[in-house]
Amino acid sequence: MTTNGIFQLLFYLAALILLAKPLGAFMSRVYQRQKTFLDPVFGPVERLIYRLSRINPDEEMDWKENAVAFLMFNFVGLIIVYGLQRLQQLLPLNPQGLGAVSPDSSFNTAISFATNTNWQGYGGETTMSYLTQMLGLTVQNFVSAASGMAVLVLFIRALARHSATTLGNFWVDLTRSTLYILMPLAVIVALVLISQGSVQNFSAYASASLLQPTTDTSGAKVTEQLIAMGPAASQIAIKQLGTNGGGFFNVNSSHPYENPTPFSNFLEMLSILLIAGALCYTLGAMVGDTRQGWALLAAMTIILVVGIFAAYHYESAGNPKFDSLGVDQHTTAINPGGNMEGKEVRLGIANSALWATVTTAASNGSVNAMHDSFTPMGGLVPLVMMQLGEVVFGGVGSGLYGMLVFVIVAVFVAGLLVGRTPEYLGHKIEAYEMKMASLLILIMPLTVLGLTALAVITSAGTSSILNPSAHGFSEVLYTFTSQGNNNGSAFAGLNANTPFYNITGGLAMLISRYWLAVPTLALGGSLVRKKLIPAGEGTLPTHTPLFIFWLIAVVLIVGALNFFPALALGPIVEHFMMIQ
Amino acid sequence: MTTQASQTLKKPLGLTGEMYRRALVDSVLKLNPRWMVRNPVMFVVEVGSVLTTALWIQALSGAGEAAAWYIGSVSLWLWFTVLFANFSEALAEGRGKAQAEALRRSRRETKAKLLHDPRDRSKFNIVSSIDLKKGDLYLVEPGDILSADGEVVEGVASVDESAITGESAPVIRESGGDRSAVTGGTRALSDWLVIRVMAEPGGGFLDRMIKLIEGAKRQKTPNEIALNILLAAFTIIFLVVCVTLLPYSLFSVSAAGQGTPVTITVLVALLVCLIPTTIGGLLSAIGIAGMDRMIRHNVIATSGRAIEAAGDVDVLLLDKTGTITLGNRMATDFSPAPGISKEQLADAAQLASLADETPEGRSIVILAKEKYGLRGREIHQISAQFIPFSAQTRMSGADIQPAGKSSRRIIRKGATDAIKAFIEQQGGVFPAEVQATVQEISKIGATPLVVSENKEVLGVIHLKDIVKGGIKERFAHLRKMGIRTVMITGDNQLTATAIAAEAGVDDFLAEAKPEDKLKLIRDYQKGGRLVAMTGDGTNDAPALAQADVAVAMNTGTQSAREAANMIDLDSNPTKLMEIVEIGKQLLMTRGTLTTFSIANDVAKYFAIIPAAFATTYPVLNALNIMKLATPESAILSAVIFNALIIVVLIPLALKGVKYRAVSAVQLLRRHLFVYGLGGIVAPFVGIKLVDMFLQVIGMT
């Protein structure tokens, strides 16, 4: 670890925290339909959308109606993305003449983008036409993120209200998330990325003569290189902001056209956590007690900081096995030192470790380095970040509502510890709430552990493993952890574009998105009906350092306890073998 | 009272050898899967025990997955785990059963004298008590045992209610008023009563009490249900964790090219160690013990739900008299009128009160004696005619004929306006200074009693409500816990304000009528608060029915007892505070043991994971930070620790976590430190100790 590296990490964290309040306050105005400076621009568009789709924005819905709206909307989006992939050879904006995508891969990708996962079993530039990328994937990048934000806002209203039945209107929250929050931010980020050198065009791929001709695997001489083009910057901006993570190019943000400069790197990393962090403040503002929002942001940040520094530490420490190969892992003025395998030299260890932690803390999943090539413990950090249930910042919207479920569990046990039926923000936590919270905590480990087990004992699963070792196990575990938490990042080394992985992964993504969102709304539907219990001396405050500490403990214990045995057989045993 | 009350109810509460024996037998009987399935956590352990027993038998036949002694030991300790949990429950139930038996003895079938006509007590049929229906009338004569709960329609009698209250002094039961309720199983001592049956056969107070104590009617409380759901979720997660570990292990064996897959025995052991068996095993014992603690305080709760609600109460409505103040007002000072000495006033006051047998009157005599050395004079020594208090004159006093004098001393004491009228009628003047004193006394919440002799005002006696010692500190504690105290009194605003300030209550309701009480409760509940109150009269019944925690005095009327969800056999209104503490204790005990149970898992992983994969990945021994001797001893130690910790914690489950009146934050910090951090550290030490012991006895 270098001073410069540590400074960059701290600078990043400071920027993230400083932006939480202004953006969070703005979003709270957006969701409460108060005046904003963007009204003159988007107001007419918004009203037009409501008129065309015959939505009365003043009509509120209960949790069931909202859940149906959410599911229907996502289902239609899923069908469109599937159709576009299957029919892209017949549709325009396909200068490379790319063919139809296979049914299982289309299935997986459609789910992947509708669920805000953006797991990519395919390589973008060799699979998807520009039309599919723009109309299918980029549109889903916006609306899947906006769907998550809408579900969160419905849930926040449940916490802010008492003795009510309705949570708001999903369609309104969806529209306003997209128009007032995602659109403007995406335009700004895209323009800055273009200024940094990201491509944004509809050209056919450019061809360049190699200065140093080479030979391919069959021994034929290669003198030309095809350089992929396309409307990349606009998709990259939203894939970062909406915690989607689906790269325009196969190598994602390690591609120079996707992530050209250190500044673009910083901006893209900031975009990953920006909205998720600010939503904590929005929560506080909407429930009328900003301390509640800061407390959650503090809990998330503390876990994130531990993750970042652990990843940075282990990557800087390098791999002792490299020493025997004569690799110099010492940090000097001209040598980054540590484990540089799978990392972009122009980005270095600090920024690769930071990105890896941030992208998995959020359910983003974009990468600027290959997580598969991290040291075992360095690779354990992204795994654990996802296995905590994507609640450390997490996906936009989904991360915070996931965290609120942990808050309810933490409040429940803490309430028992102080001898009082627990309450959160004046809502009594009773059997129904615990039923939903338990379900929400239960589903993810069940999906991830179950599918991993299926993959390692069936030949359909094991035949894709390129490293049959503890590391191979880590790769399978990572695959299902990523899809089962709607993250979408991948450990390479596993051929996941097979019918087995496409289908099981698709199921994991569906379960982790909708089986969590719908019980969350049900939980909201129950909380909103509760009578307000005014806070008194006997009420356990949920904004104190003690409660933050307790919440972190609950998140870590529930996450770590479920996955410790699996991790022991993967990264942990790899680590001990490496240092042996 | 309390010493007498212990006669029937408290005596069996000490754990006798007989109870232990019975609990041991019961814990085996409870292995019945149909019973076990009610507790999902322990049911999983039982299934695991059966499974490992089968594996042990297989190993005995020589085809086992590991050494027979090893599988057998794991299996044995898994059985112990189930038995220990059952034992805790049986022990908690056993205490109740002993009490129930004592009660049942007084509820044996009796003969009842069924009347056809309440006016004619000579004609009755002898029927069995179980044949009495609601609405029937029956006669009780001295020595009869009352056959059913009911209301006295006619007659007055003294009744021995020691069977339910433990109080051996008989009580008076009479028709009409607040003392008309009688309970089946009690015994009439004198006179006769005609009683209308108010309960269906088997639904009487005593029957309900027996059922409650026995736990037969025990239903899971809302909070317990919520906790059970969470524990079930943990159990399912860990079940999946352990089941999936087998495929992981199979893959790892082929990937590493060495070792053998993890055995079923180890997986079952891991599962049992991970699922929250400590809290799962003790949960029902904690609930039963909570009910039991109430009974030990001579409070019968009609449901566990009521006890739990007691822990959540935010507002206590307390009757002033008897709860906050001693029952009666007492004289505390004399304020003489101008030109009169204090001694003169004291002397007259004492004379006026000599025949006054009310507590106020007696307190005046005592004050005069203690403060001014005036000996209590015997009534017969002075020739005096005593005037008792009457509602018309609102005065009392004495007309004294001093020896050798012709003029009589006409001494009166009474309310200010009554004395004023009396004096002015005789042509006297009520001094302005005394008027000022009267107002001052009223202002500080005391009652002024003016004393006059002939047509002269001598001064004023201060009668004061005496706030019970230590009550202010108690209210301060309650406040710290977030509980508001509200004093209910029939006194006027001025008096109530002063007493409220002195007692340190948060609020008060003066000149309270029953409907005001009801309205106050509704208002608090509308604001989301949980309200607790005590009551005894029929006019309290609506408020009792409305309150979340309603404690009826056992001396109260049948309707008050019906409306309440708890009955205090000691009829002590201060009990409400203890009830709240017991409710909180119940929740805290559950919370602390849950935290402890889950925190334990950390150490168990460190014991079992390296041992389970010792042959596949020997490098994982780096995780064996406890340096446990062998893989077998590591797993066995974890299982043994897991079983023994249940036994170690049985006393805590039965006694409850010590209650402390501190704020929620302080309590959370303390409990997280003791049971959270302690829960992480304790098993590291415990498992290591068991491992060392196993080595010493050569089992490994």
Side-chain angles (χ1 to χ4, degrees), chain A residues 416-421 442 449 534 538 561-562 565 573 580, chain B residues 223 233 237 248 312 314 481-482 527 584 587-588 605 619 671:
Chain A
L416 290 186
L417 282 173
V418 301
R420 202 179 144 92
T421 295
L442 195 71
L449 291 172
L561 285 183
N562 298 340
V573 73
Q580 202 178 24
Chain B
N223 201 283
I237 291 178
Y248 297 174
D312 291 341
D314 323 79
M481 291 155 46
K584 287 203 176 291
L587 293 182
M588 285 192 301
Y605 269 134
V619 285
H671 284 163

PDB file of all heavy atoms in Angstrom, chain A residues 416-421 442 449 534 538 561-562 565 573 580, chain B residues 223 233 237 248 312 314 481-482 527 584 587-588 605 619 671:
ATOM      1  N   LEU A 416     -35.711  -6.947  21.879  1.00  0.00           N
ATOM      2  CA  LEU A 416     -35.797  -8.004  22.891  1.00  0.00           C
ATOM      3  C   LEU A 416     -34.725  -7.784  23.960  1.00  0.00           C
ATOM      4  O   LEU A 416     -34.968  -7.978  25.140  1.00  0.00           O
ATOM      5  CB  LEU A 416     -35.596  -9.372  22.251  1.00  0.00           C
ATOM      6  CG  LEU A 416     -36.704  -9.882  21.333  1.00  0.00           C
ATOM      7  CD1 LEU A 416     -36.399 -11.300  20.908  1.00  0.00           C
ATOM      8  CD2 LEU A 416     -38.049  -9.839  22.020  1.00  0.00           C
ATOM      9  N   LEU A 417     -33.538  -7.370  23.517  1.00  0.00           N
ATOM     10  CA  LEU A 417     -32.440  -7.186  24.470  1.00  0.00           C
ATOM     11  C   LEU A 417     -32.755  -6.112  25.495  1.00  0.00           C
ATOM     12  O   LEU A 417     -32.246  -6.139  26.609  1.00  0.00           O
ATOM     13  CB  LEU A 417     -31.147  -6.825  23.726  1.00  0.00           C
ATOM     14  CG  LEU A 417     -30.419  -7.990  23.064  1.00  0.00           C
ATOM     15  CD1 LEU A 417     -29.271  -7.483  22.221  1.00  0.00           C
ATOM     16  CD2 LEU A 417     -29.893  -8.952  24.110  1.00  0.00           C
ATOM     17  N   VAL A 418     -33.558  -5.124  25.124  1.00  0.00           N
ATOM     18  CA  VAL A 418     -33.882  -4.077  26.090  1.00  0.00           C
ATOM     19  C   VAL A 418     -35.276  -4.286  26.684  1.00  0.00           C
ATOM     20  O   VAL A 418     -35.783  -3.431  27.403  1.00  0.00           O
ATOM     21  CB  VAL A 418     -33.764  -2.653  25.493  1.00  0.00           C
ATOM     22  CG1 VAL A 418     -32.366  -2.405  25.000  1.00  0.00           C
ATOM     23  CG2 VAL A 418     -34.769  -2.426  24.389  1.00  0.00           C
ATOM     24  N   GLY A 419     -35.901  -5.421  26.388  1.00  0.00           N
ATOM     25  CA  GLY A 419     -37.154  -5.763  27.048  1.00  0.00           C
ATOM     26  C   GLY A 419     -38.359  -4.995  26.566  1.00  0.00           C
ATOM     27  O   GLY A 419     -39.170  -4.535  27.359  1.00  0.00           O
ATOM     28  N   ARG A 420     -38.495  -4.825  25.272  1.00  0.00           N
ATOM     29  CA  ARG A 420     -39.621  -4.069  24.751  1.00  0.00           C
ATOM     30  C   ARG A 420     -39.937  -4.585  23.358  1.00  0.00           C
ATOM     31  O   ARG A 420     -39.033  -4.889  22.601  1.00  0.00           O
ATOM     32  CB  ARG A 420     -39.194  -2.617  24.647  1.00  0.00           C
ATOM     33  CG  ARG A 420     -40.314  -1.637  24.621  1.00  0.00           C
ATOM     34  CD  ARG A 420     -39.695  -0.260  24.537  1.00  0.00           C
ATOM     35  NE  ARG A 420     -40.560   0.556  23.698  1.00  0.00           N
ATOM     36  CZ  ARG A 420     -41.545   1.297  24.186  1.00  0.00           C
ATOM     37  NH1 ARG A 420     -41.778   1.328  25.452  1.00  0.00           N
ATOM     38  NH2 ARG A 420     -42.289   2.020  23.383  1.00  0.00           N
ATOM     39  N   THR A 421     -41.220  -4.696  23.037  1.00  0.00           N
ATOM     40  CA  THR A 421     -41.551  -5.104  21.676  1.00  0.00           C
ATOM     41  C   THR A 421     -40.952  -4.073  20.732  1.00  0.00           C
ATOM     42  O   THR A 421     -41.155  -2.889  20.894  1.00  0.00           O
ATOM     43  CB  THR A 421     -43.064  -5.200  21.489  1.00  0.00           C
ATOM     44  OG1 THR A 421     -43.535  -6.236  22.318  1.00  0.00           O
ATOM     45  CG2 THR A 421     -43.406  -5.527  20.059  1.00  0.00           C
ATOM     46  N   LEU A 442     -33.599 -15.297   3.905  1.00  0.00           N
ATOM     47  CA  LEU A 442     -33.458 -16.719   3.607  1.00  0.00           C
ATOM     48  C   LEU A 442     -33.186 -17.012   2.126  1.00  0.00           C
ATOM     49  O   LEU A 442     -32.374 -17.870   1.779  1.00  0.00           O
ATOM     50  CB  LEU A 442     -34.793 -17.362   4.011  1.00  0.00           C
ATOM     51  CG  LEU A 442     -34.940 -18.830   4.164  1.00  0.00           C
ATOM     52  CD1 LEU A 442     -34.187 -19.243   5.402  1.00  0.00           C
ATOM     53  CD2 LEU A 442     -36.413 -19.177   4.349  1.00  0.00           C
ATOM     54  N   LEU A 449     -26.276 -20.958  -2.546  1.00  0.00           N
ATOM     55  CA  LEU A 449     -25.643 -22.202  -2.093  1.00  0.00           C
ATOM     56  C   LEU A 449     -26.224 -23.393  -2.839  1.00  0.00           C
ATOM     57  O   LEU A 449     -25.491 -24.315  -3.229  1.00  0.00           O
ATOM     58  CB  LEU A 449     -25.847 -22.373  -0.581  1.00  0.00           C
ATOM     59  CG  LEU A 449     -25.091 -21.383   0.306  1.00  0.00           C
ATOM     60  CD1 LEU A 449     -25.517 -21.534   1.762  1.00  0.00           C
ATOM     61  CD2 LEU A 449     -23.586 -21.582   0.180  1.00  0.00           C
ATOM     62  N   PRO A 534     -45.112   6.757  19.432  1.00  0.00           N
ATOM     63  CA  PRO A 534     -44.199   7.883  19.631  1.00  0.00           C
ATOM     64  C   PRO A 534     -42.947   7.431  20.375  1.00  0.00           C
ATOM     65  O   PRO A 534     -43.009   6.557  21.241  1.00  0.00           O
ATOM     66  CB  PRO A 534     -45.015   8.872  20.460  1.00  0.00           C
ATOM     67  CG  PRO A 534     -46.287   8.197  20.807  1.00  0.00           C
ATOM     68  CD  PRO A 534     -46.332   6.847  20.233  1.00  0.00           C
ATOM     69  N   GLY A 538     -37.889   4.800  26.557  1.00  0.00           N
ATOM     70  CA  GLY A 538     -37.734   3.356  26.443  1.00  0.00           C
ATOM     71  C   GLY A 538     -37.517   2.906  25.022  1.00  0.00           C
ATOM     72  O   GLY A 538     -37.227   1.745  24.760  1.00  0.00           O
ATOM     73  N   LEU A 561     -21.948 -16.012   8.429  1.00  0.00           N
ATOM     74  CA  LEU A 561     -22.271 -17.341   8.945  1.00  0.00           C
ATOM     75  C   LEU A 561     -22.770 -18.251   7.833  1.00  0.00           C
ATOM     76  O   LEU A 561     -22.481 -19.430   7.813  1.00  0.00           O
ATOM     77  CB  LEU A 561     -23.331 -17.232  10.041  1.00  0.00           C
ATOM     78  CG  LEU A 561     -22.847 -16.711  11.378  1.00  0.00           C
ATOM     79  CD1 LEU A 561     -23.965 -16.722  12.382  1.00  0.00           C
ATOM     80  CD2 LEU A 561     -21.678 -17.534  11.903  1.00  0.00           C
ATOM     81  N   ASN A 562     -23.515 -17.667   6.882  1.00  0.00           N
ATOM     82  CA  ASN A 562     -24.069 -18.506   5.821  1.00  0.00           C
ATOM     83  C   ASN A 562     -23.010 -19.010   4.861  1.00  0.00           C
ATOM     84  O   ASN A 562     -23.116 -20.091   4.316  1.00  0.00           O
ATOM     85  CB  ASN A 562     -25.088 -17.712   5.003  1.00  0.00           C
ATOM     86  CG  ASN A 562     -26.245 -17.269   5.840  1.00  0.00           C
ATOM     87  OD1 ASN A 562     -26.487 -17.833   6.900  1.00  0.00           O
ATOM     88  ND2 ASN A 562     -26.935 -16.245   5.388  1.00  0.00           N
ATOM     89  N   PRO A 565     -18.508 -21.708   5.408  1.00  0.00           N
ATOM     90  CA  PRO A 565     -18.014 -23.007   4.955  1.00  0.00           C
ATOM     91  C   PRO A 565     -17.664 -23.016   3.465  1.00  0.00           C
ATOM     92  O   PRO A 565     -16.640 -23.571   3.063  1.00  0.00           O
ATOM     93  CB  PRO A 565     -19.183 -23.957   5.239  1.00  0.00           C
ATOM     94  CG  PRO A 565     -20.006 -23.277   6.266  1.00  0.00           C
ATOM     95  CD  PRO A 565     -19.858 -21.816   6.009  1.00  0.00           C
ATOM     96  N   VAL A 573      -9.062 -21.529   1.513  1.00  0.00           N
ATOM     97  CA  VAL A 573      -8.082 -22.613   1.371  1.00  0.00           C
ATOM     98  C   VAL A 573      -7.046 -22.252   0.302  1.00  0.00           C
ATOM     99  O   VAL A 573      -5.864 -22.559   0.434  1.00  0.00           O
ATOM    100  CB  VAL A 573      -8.776 -23.971   1.093  1.00  0.00           C
ATOM    101  CG1 VAL A 573      -9.320 -24.062  -0.307  1.00  0.00           C
ATOM    102  CG2 VAL A 573      -7.803 -25.119   1.346  1.00  0.00           C
ATOM    103  N   GLN A 580       1.569 -21.159   1.876  1.00  0.00           N
ATOM    104  CA  GLN A 580       2.193 -22.348   2.469  1.00  0.00           C
ATOM    105  C   GLN A 580       3.686 -22.390   2.174  1.00  0.00           C
ATOM    106  O   GLN A 580       4.080 -22.213   1.020  1.00  0.00           O
ATOM    107  CB  GLN A 580       1.524 -23.587   1.900  1.00  0.00           C
ATOM    108  CG  GLN A 580       1.671 -24.796   2.756  1.00  0.00           C
ATOM    109  CD  GLN A 580       0.933 -25.981   2.155  1.00  0.00           C
ATOM    110  OE1 GLN A 580       0.713 -26.004   0.946  1.00  0.00           O
ATOM    111  NE2 GLN A 580       0.569 -26.944   2.966  1.00  0.00           N
TER     112      GLN A 580
ATOM    113  N   ASN B 223     -44.827 -12.025  20.449  1.00  0.00           N
ATOM    114  CA  ASN B 223     -43.404 -11.824  20.333  1.00  0.00           C
ATOM    115  C   ASN B 223     -42.645 -13.135  20.202  1.00  0.00           C
ATOM    116  O   ASN B 223     -41.664 -13.253  19.477  1.00  0.00           O
ATOM    117  CB  ASN B 223     -42.953 -11.077  21.574  1.00  0.00           C
ATOM    118  CG  ASN B 223     -41.675 -10.385  21.359  1.00  0.00           C
ATOM    119  OD1 ASN B 223     -40.646 -11.032  21.378  1.00  0.00           O
ATOM    120  ND2 ASN B 223     -41.740  -9.103  21.103  1.00  0.00           N
ATOM    121  N   ALA B 233     -36.037 -19.485  10.421  1.00  0.00           N
ATOM    122  CA  ALA B 233     -35.307 -19.036   9.230  1.00  0.00           C
ATOM    123  C   ALA B 233     -33.825 -19.390   9.351  1.00  0.00           C
ATOM    124  O   ALA B 233     -33.213 -19.906   8.413  1.00  0.00           O
ATOM    125  CB  ALA B 233     -35.477 -17.534   9.039  1.00  0.00           C
ATOM    126  N   ILE B 237     -31.676 -21.871   6.899  1.00  0.00           N
ATOM    127  CA  ILE B 237     -30.433 -21.444   6.242  1.00  0.00           C
ATOM    128  C   ILE B 237     -29.296 -22.412   6.571  1.00  0.00           C
ATOM    129  O   ILE B 237     -28.583 -22.883   5.687  1.00  0.00           O
ATOM    130  CB  ILE B 237     -30.045 -20.011   6.670  1.00  0.00           C
ATOM    131  CG1 ILE B 237     -31.045 -18.996   6.105  1.00  0.00           C
ATOM    132  CG2 ILE B 237     -28.635 -19.676   6.191  1.00  0.00           C
ATOM    133  CD1 ILE B 237     -30.777 -17.569   6.521  1.00  0.00           C
ATOM    134  N   TYR B 248     -20.109 -29.774  -2.117  1.00  0.00           N
ATOM    135  CA  TYR B 248     -18.877 -28.968  -2.134  1.00  0.00           C
ATOM    136  C   TYR B 248     -17.692 -29.853  -1.777  1.00  0.00           C
ATOM    137  O   TYR B 248     -16.622 -29.770  -2.370  1.00  0.00           O
ATOM    138  CB  TYR B 248     -18.947 -27.811  -1.127  1.00  0.00           C
ATOM    139  CG  TYR B 248     -20.029 -26.781  -1.388  1.00  0.00           C
ATOM    140  CD1 TYR B 248     -20.269 -25.771  -0.478  1.00  0.00           C
ATOM    141  CD2 TYR B 248     -20.800 -26.810  -2.558  1.00  0.00           C
ATOM    142  CE1 TYR B 248     -21.255 -24.812  -0.702  1.00  0.00           C
ATOM    143  CE2 TYR B 248     -21.787 -25.866  -2.786  1.00  0.00           C
ATOM    144  CZ  TYR B 248     -22.014 -24.877  -1.850  1.00  0.00           C
ATOM    145  OH  TYR B 248     -22.988 -23.939  -2.064  1.00  0.00           O
ATOM    146  N   ASP B 312     -44.220  -3.842  27.531  1.00  0.00           N
ATOM    147  CA  ASP B 312     -44.266  -2.759  26.540  1.00  0.00           C
ATOM    148  C   ASP B 312     -44.998  -1.525  27.022  1.00  0.00           C
ATOM    149  O   ASP B 312     -45.090  -0.543  26.297  1.00  0.00           O
ATOM    150  CB  ASP B 312     -45.002  -3.255  25.289  1.00  0.00           C
ATOM    151  CG  ASP B 312     -44.202  -4.289  24.557  1.00  0.00           C
ATOM    152  OD1 ASP B 312     -42.985  -4.340  24.790  1.00  0.00           O
ATOM    153  OD2 ASP B 312     -44.779  -5.028  23.760  1.00  0.00           O
ATOM    154  N   ASP B 314     -46.299   1.857  28.250  1.00  0.00           N
ATOM    155  CA  ASP B 314     -45.665   3.169  28.300  1.00  0.00           C
ATOM    156  C   ASP B 314     -46.300   4.059  29.363  1.00  0.00           C
ATOM    157  O   ASP B 314     -45.728   5.045  29.758  1.00  0.00           O
ATOM    158  CB  ASP B 314     -45.809   3.964  26.997  1.00  0.00           C
ATOM    159  CG  ASP B 314     -45.727   3.136  25.764  1.00  0.00           C
ATOM    160  OD1 ASP B 314     -46.722   2.478  25.403  1.00  0.00           O
ATOM    161  OD2 ASP B 314     -44.678   3.156  25.152  1.00  0.00           O
ATOM    162  N   MET B 481     -36.910   4.265  32.068  1.00  0.00           N
ATOM    163  CA  MET B 481     -37.274   3.176  31.157  1.00  0.00           C
ATOM    164  C   MET B 481     -38.287   3.624  30.129  1.00  0.00           C
ATOM    165  O   MET B 481     -38.710   2.848  29.281  1.00  0.00           O
ATOM    166  CB  MET B 481     -37.895   2.021  31.939  1.00  0.00           C
ATOM    167  CG  MET B 481     -36.922   1.296  32.830  1.00  0.00           C
ATOM    168  SD  MET B 481     -37.793   0.502  34.199  1.00  0.00           S
ATOM    169  CE  MET B 481     -39.133  -0.262  33.352  1.00  0.00           C
ATOM    170  N   GLY B 482     -38.707   4.893  30.218  1.00  0.00           N
ATOM    171  CA  GLY B 482     -39.639   5.407  29.230  1.00  0.00           C
ATOM    172  C   GLY B 482     -41.090   5.197  29.609  1.00  0.00           C
ATOM    173  O   GLY B 482     -41.957   5.196  28.746  1.00  0.00           O
ATOM    174  N   GLY B 527     -52.835   7.765  20.852  1.00  0.00           N
ATOM    175  CA  GLY B 527     -51.484   8.248  20.606  1.00  0.00           C
ATOM    176  C   GLY B 527     -50.475   7.116  20.477  1.00  0.00           C
ATOM    177  O   GLY B 527     -49.281   7.352  20.456  1.00  0.00           O
ATOM    178  N   LYS B 584     -40.751  -7.096  31.106  1.00  0.00           N
ATOM    179  CA  LYS B 584     -39.511  -6.708  30.436  1.00  0.00           C
ATOM    180  C   LYS B 584     -38.455  -7.798  30.574  1.00  0.00           C
ATOM    181  O   LYS B 584     -37.735  -8.109  29.630  1.00  0.00           O
ATOM    182  CB  LYS B 584     -38.980  -5.399  31.034  1.00  0.00           C
ATOM    183  CG  LYS B 584     -39.793  -4.198  30.617  1.00  0.00           C
ATOM    184  CD  LYS B 584     -38.969  -2.933  30.722  1.00  0.00           C
ATOM    185  CE  LYS B 584     -39.739  -1.736  30.205  1.00  0.00           C
ATOM    186  NZ  LYS B 584     -39.959  -1.765  28.769  1.00  0.00           N
ATOM    187  N   LEU B 587     -38.898 -10.555  27.972  1.00  0.00           N
ATOM    188  CA  LEU B 587     -38.394 -10.231  26.638  1.00  0.00           C
ATOM    189  C   LEU B 587     -36.871 -10.208  26.637  1.00  0.00           C
ATOM    190  O   LEU B 587     -36.222 -10.714  25.720  1.00  0.00           O
ATOM    191  CB  LEU B 587     -38.926  -8.874  26.186  1.00  0.00           C
ATOM    192  CG  LEU B 587     -40.429  -8.783  25.932  1.00  0.00           C
ATOM    193  CD1 LEU B 587     -40.791  -7.386  25.443  1.00  0.00           C
ATOM    194  CD2 LEU B 587     -40.873  -9.797  24.908  1.00  0.00           C
ATOM    195  N   MET B 588     -36.297  -9.629  27.679  1.00  0.00           N
ATOM    196  CA  MET B 588     -34.839  -9.514  27.726  1.00  0.00           C
ATOM    197  C   MET B 588     -34.172 -10.878  27.773  1.00  0.00           C
ATOM    198  O   MET B 588     -33.141 -11.094  27.154  1.00  0.00           O
ATOM    199  CB  MET B 588     -34.412  -8.708  28.957  1.00  0.00           C
ATOM    200  CG  MET B 588     -34.668  -7.233  28.804  1.00  0.00           C
ATOM    201  SD  MET B 588     -33.867  -6.247  30.070  1.00  0.00           S
ATOM    202  CE  MET B 588     -34.541  -6.881  31.539  1.00  0.00           C
ATOM    203  N   TYR B 605     -17.653 -22.733  14.080  1.00  0.00           N
ATOM    204  CA  TYR B 605     -17.067 -22.843  12.744  1.00  0.00           C
ATOM    205  C   TYR B 605     -15.568 -23.119  12.835  1.00  0.00           C
ATOM    206  O   TYR B 605     -15.035 -23.975  12.140  1.00  0.00           O
ATOM    207  CB  TYR B 605     -17.275 -21.540  11.965  1.00  0.00           C
ATOM    208  CG  TYR B 605     -18.540 -21.503  11.144  1.00  0.00           C
ATOM    209  CD1 TYR B 605     -19.374 -20.398  11.164  1.00  0.00           C
ATOM    210  CD2 TYR B 605     -18.887 -22.567  10.311  1.00  0.00           C
ATOM    211  CE1 TYR B 605     -20.530 -20.346  10.397  1.00  0.00           C
ATOM    212  CE2 TYR B 605     -20.033 -22.529   9.541  1.00  0.00           C
ATOM    213  CZ  TYR B 605     -20.848 -21.412   9.588  1.00  0.00           C
ATOM    214  OH  TYR B 605     -21.968 -21.372   8.822  1.00  0.00           O
ATOM    215  N   VAL B 619      -4.249 -27.866   4.947  1.00  0.00           N
ATOM    216  CA  VAL B 619      -3.805 -26.492   5.246  1.00  0.00           C
ATOM    217  C   VAL B 619      -4.856 -25.718   6.021  1.00  0.00           C
ATOM    218  O   VAL B 619      -4.553 -24.740   6.688  1.00  0.00           O
ATOM    219  CB  VAL B 619      -3.471 -25.682   3.966  1.00  0.00           C
ATOM    220  CG1 VAL B 619      -2.161 -26.112   3.380  1.00  0.00           C
ATOM    221  CG2 VAL B 619      -4.593 -25.742   2.960  1.00  0.00           C
ATOM    222  N   HIS B 671     -26.034  -5.469  27.418  1.00  0.00           N
ATOM    223  CA  HIS B 671     -26.390  -6.823  26.990  1.00  0.00           C
ATOM    224  C   HIS B 671     -25.602  -7.265  25.766  1.00  0.00           C
ATOM    225  O   HIS B 671     -25.267  -8.442  25.639  1.00  0.00           O
ATOM    226  CB  HIS B 671     -27.897  -6.899  26.731  1.00  0.00           C
ATOM    227  CG  HIS B 671     -28.686  -6.953  27.999  1.00  0.00           C
ATOM    228  ND1 HIS B 671     -30.030  -6.691  28.059  1.00  0.00           N
ATOM    229  CD2 HIS B 671     -28.307  -7.213  29.265  1.00  0.00           C
ATOM    230  CE1 HIS B 671     -30.446  -6.802  29.304  1.00  0.00           C
ATOM    231  NE2 HIS B 671     -29.415  -7.112  30.059  1.00  0.00           N
TER     232      HIS B 671
END
